[in-house]
Amino acid sequence: MKKIIYLILTVALIYACSENEELGQMPLDLVAPGKVTNIQVENMSGGAKLTYELPNDDDLLYVVAKYKVNDKLSREAITSYYDNEIMVNGFGEAKDYEVTLQAVDRSKNYSEPVTVTVSPTTAPLYLAMESIKVIPDFGGINIKWKNETESDLNLVVMVNDTIEEGAYVTEDILYTKVKNGNHSVRGLAAEERDFAILIVDRYENTTDTLKMTLTPLFEMELDPNLFKFIQALTPVGSLGSYYIPERMWDGAYGNSCYISQFPSPYEVKDGLLYVTMDLGKRSKISRCVYWPRGGDANFIYNHFNVKRYAIWGSNDPAPDAFSFEGWTKINDFTVEKPSGLPLGQISQEDKDAADRGHEGIFPLESEAYRYIRFQVLETWSGGSLIQVGELKFFGQYEE
């Protein structure tokens, strides 16, 4: 019986194949397709777009462009026969380059080559390098740049080797494609150092090195022993130690945290939950670090932990807790969940990020303030109370 079934299936398969001659590999031939014609060149930053007319060949498969971006590196770009344009990029210098186009059919026959000249304008990495501005920052330097085409770039920052005179060591490498770059290199003492910066793109093009001598600004952790709770527009209860705002800066992590009393009459989404504190001294703040309530992994990036917040500063705050008179918003911050997983799901990367804390950078041009208002704009669950594991501030005191 099994042999009969096998025979029937085999015959059916053979019959199906004979009925559809289009199945399988098309017959091979040695006939080359026609060449592409009417090629138009549109030059752009670091590359060019080529449009053309395709040859009238039934078995046309794709068009390939071959070119050299420099003396060492050759590249190819391929576009299927469904399209009539192809991008060539990766050129470092703004000069003339030759690009060879060929049509290719399903039998891998190549058409007669057609060569055109492209003249790309200045490549994105050089435009970004021309826009770079570097100034001293707390514990290092701050670098700003423009990347209008949002190209993939690597920003390389080096500092002078303290052992070998004249040598440099890599301090930081940043992969970026943001349009308006703003990056700080930190962790350096407030001592004069020689810095060197260059940019490398994905095609191994490298800019010249920009060198400068700068002295990083002194940075320290502001002393939490000087902090005092002033007021809060969120219920502060007496039933249990969790309702004490001072737990925001007590130096304890994990499940040690401040939790606003529940239920709250205020909605977090309206930005009406905040805690006001006295730093003890007028301070030029460089950054803050927020830690969520931990202890249980289920709390991380979940429940009433803070997702978005704003920091306000004042030296003469209004006594009314509802008033923002005399206050200046310093910056808005978002707590990023590295994995991007749905609410309630976390990865090891998420746990590690929560343990490190989430950093919020203050603008260098910010004034020095004695009073700080921590305003919660959104929690992960969207609920009506807040949880804060720890909040630290860094910078320097103003004499």
Side-chain angles (χ1 to χ4, degrees):
M1 184 65 179
K2 290 183 178 179
K3 290 184 178 180
I4 296 174
I5 294 175
Y6 177 80
L7 179 60
I8 292 173
L9 292 174
T10 303
V11 172
L13 180 60
I14 294 173
Y15 179 80
C17 290
S18 65
E19 286 292 303
N20 189 355
E21 295 181 357
E22 296 299 319
L23 291 176
Q25 171 69 43
M26 294 185 66
L28 296 176
D29 62 51
L30 299 177
V31 180
K35 61 185 180 181
V36 296
T37 56
N38 193 25
I39 303 172
Q40 305 294 318
V41 178
E42 180 185 345
N43 294 307
M44 53 190 62
S45 177
K49 181 171 74 173
L50 309 179
T51 56
Y52 44 79
E53 292 183 8
L54 294 166
N56 188 20
D57 288 79
D58 292 338
D59 63 342
L60 184 66
L61 187 59
Y62 61 84
V63 172
V64 59
K66 299 180 179 180
Y67 55 100
K68 296 187 69 173
V69 296
N70 51 46
D71 295 335
K72 300 178 181 179
L73 186 61
S74 297
R75 289 182 55 80
E76 288 187 2
I78 295 176
T79 301
S80 78
Y81 67 94
Y82 290 109
D83 208 346
N84 70 332
E85 66 179 43
I86 195 167
M87 291 292 302
V88 291
N89 46 39
F91 300 104
E93 299 181 60
K95 64 178 185 179
D96 292 344
Y97 298 86
E98 288 189 347
V99 178
T100 300
L101 295 173
Q102 288 180 282
V104 184
D105 64 19
R106 296 181 183 276
S107 299
K108 299 300 176 67
N109 297 309
Y110 284 73
S111 73
E112 178 183 344
V114 181
T115 301
V116 295
T117 299
V118 300
S119 305
T121 57
T122 304
L125 77 161
Y126 296 112
L127 294 175
M129 195 67 183
E130 290 172 2
S131 70
I132 274 185
K133 295 180 180 179
V134 186
I135 58 175
D137 199 353
F138 288 94
I141 58 173
N142 176 260
I143 309 166
K144 291 184 174 67
W145 68 92
K146 299 287 186 182
N147 181 13
E148 297 293 343
T149 58
E150 298 183 43
S151 300
D152 295 311
L153 302 175
N154 284 293
L155 179 73
V156 182
V157 181
M158 298 172 285
V159 296
N160 62 297
D161 193 328
T162 56
I163 299 176
E164 183 179 350
E165 185 176 354
Y168 285 84
V169 294
T170 300
E171 182 69 22
D172 189 41
I173 299 178
L174 173 71
Y175 162 75
T176 176
K177 58 186 303 181
V178 297
K179 195 170 187 176
N180 297 299
N182 186 346
H183 180 63
S184 291
V185 178
R186 302 184 184 276
L188 300 174
E191 301 171 352
E192 185 176 272
R193 297 292 296 271
D194 295 328
F195 293 87
I197 299 172
L198 58 87
I199 297 177
V200 183
D201 68 12
R202 61 188 297 186
Y203 310 107
E204 302 179 19
N205 296 308
T206 305
T207 66
D208 291 334
T209 302
L210 175 66
K211 294 183 178 181
M212 76 234 42
T213 301
L214 295 171
T215 301
L217 303 178
F218 173 74
E219 181 188 57
M220 62 175 289
E221 179 185 346
L222 301 186
D223 187 357
N225 293 314
L226 300 179
F227 298 174
K228 295 179 181 178
F229 167 66
I230 301 297
Q231 60 186 10
L233 193 58
T234 176
V236 179
S238 59
L239 302 176
S241 59
Y242 283 125
Y243 303 142
I244 301 174
E246 285 84 355
R247 295 195 70 164
M248 293 171 60
W249 54 83
D250 65 358
Y253 299 90
N255 203 35
S256 175
C257 63
Y258 164 61
I259 305 176
S260 62
Q261 192 174 11
F262 184 85
S264 167
Y266 310 112
E267 290 295 328
V268 174
K269 62 184 176 63
D270 294 328
L272 291 176
L273 293 182
Y274 50 80
V275 175
T276 305
M277 56 191 291
D278 179 357
L279 298 178
K281 294 182 181 180
R282 191 174 174 130
S283 308
K284 173 77 172 177
I285 304 174
S286 60
R287 57 194 172 101
C288 65
V289 182
Y290 160 79
W291 280 267
R293 178 187 182 182
D296 186 333
N298 292 324
F299 286 120
I300 301 174
Y301 308 104
N302 201 353
H303 296 291
F304 307 115
N305 272 317
V306 178
K307 186 175 184 180
R308 292 191 306 114
Y309 65 96
I311 298 291
W312 297 70
S314 177
N315 289 310
D316 187 22
D320 184 358
F322 287 88
S323 174
F324 275 83
E325 182 181 350
W327 289 92
T328 299
K329 181 185 282 191
I330 300 173
N331 218 343
D332 290 318
F333 303 104
T334 299
V335 177
E336 300 288 350
K337 183 179 181 180
S339 70
L341 290 171
L343 191 70
Q345 300 180 33
I346 60 171
S347 67
Q348 184 60 49
E349 184 182 16
D350 295 333
K351 295 178 183 178
D352 293 341
D355 288 341
R356 290 192 302 269
H358 292 270
E359 186 176 70
I361 304 299
F362 284 44
L364 278 172
E365 61 272 17
S366 294
E367 296 182 26
Y369 295 107
R370 174 163 178 169
Y371 302 98
I372 291 295
R373 178 166 283 176
F374 176 77
Q375 180 189 24
V376 179
L377 304 175
E378 182 183 0
T379 62
W380 285 92
S381 66
S384 56
L385 65 137
I386 62 175
Q387 297 173 332
V388 179
E390 193 76 11
L391 188 64
K392 288 188 177 184
F393 291 92
F394 296 81
Q396 57 182 245
Y397 292 117
E398 187 177 85
E399 298 297 335

